[in-house]
Amino acid sequence: MVATQQKLVRDVVNILDPAAKYNPGDYVVVKCGAKRYVALILNKDDELFKVKYMKQTGSFFEWLDQTSWQELDDIIHALQAPSMDQRGHLIFSENDRKILTRLL
């Protein structure tokens, strides 16, 4: 019952403040110009988000040395945090890989 009430509170907060559902440490798909990237939210200032971009290399992702401030409207989808394989590569879940295939 408590978990249901907590979810309801989060849902109401997200309706009243859509930016509340994205926070530093979250992985997202973001559009930057005509392109879409996977990014990590580093910082948040109202409805602006500082993100660090990633690029896909085969089945895993690598960090780019590129950051920028993006508006809330540029965030397309939230992702689960990736796991790291034995070689240190970041790998997203199978469900997120399906979403990324559709969005990127």
Side-chain angles (χ1 to χ4, degrees):
M1 185 71 164
V2 172
T4 303
Q5 289 172 334
Q6 289 173 338
K7 183 182 181 323
L8 180 60
V9 169
R10 278 194 311 271
D11 290 347
V12 169
V13 168
N14 290 341
I15 289 169
L16 297 175
D17 181 11
K21 67 180 176 180
Y22 302 113
N23 294 292
D26 289 348
Y27 287 82
V28 293
V29 177
V30 64
K31 63 181 174 179
C32 184
K35 293 190 173 191
R36 294 178 176 184
Y37 297 92
V38 172
L40 172 66
I41 297 175
L42 300 175
N43 201 348
K44 177 179 176 179
D45 184 13
D46 196 25
E47 291 193 7
L48 289 175
F49 299 86
K50 185 174 185 180
V51 298
K52 182 171 183 171
Y53 297 100
M54 304 176 87
K55 72 172 182 173
Q56 187 169 5
T57 305
S59 61
F60 60 91
F61 285 78
E62 298 177 322
W63 294 109
L64 296 173
D65 289 330
Q66 185 178 5
T67 63
S68 71
W69 286 92
Q70 298 295 134
E71 296 181 2
L72 174 62
D73 291 342
D74 294 331
I75 297 177
I76 298 170
H77 198 280
L79 302 167
Q80 295 177 357
S83 59
M84 192 175 293
D85 70 7
Q86 304 90 323
R87 291 184 242 151
H89 299 141
L90 295 172
I91 301 173
F92 286 92
S93 70
E94 184 177 337
N95 185 50
D96 279 346
R97 284 196 305 266
K98 289 177 186 175
I99 291 167
L100 290 170
T101 300
R102 192 179 82 243
L103 293 178
L104 296 181

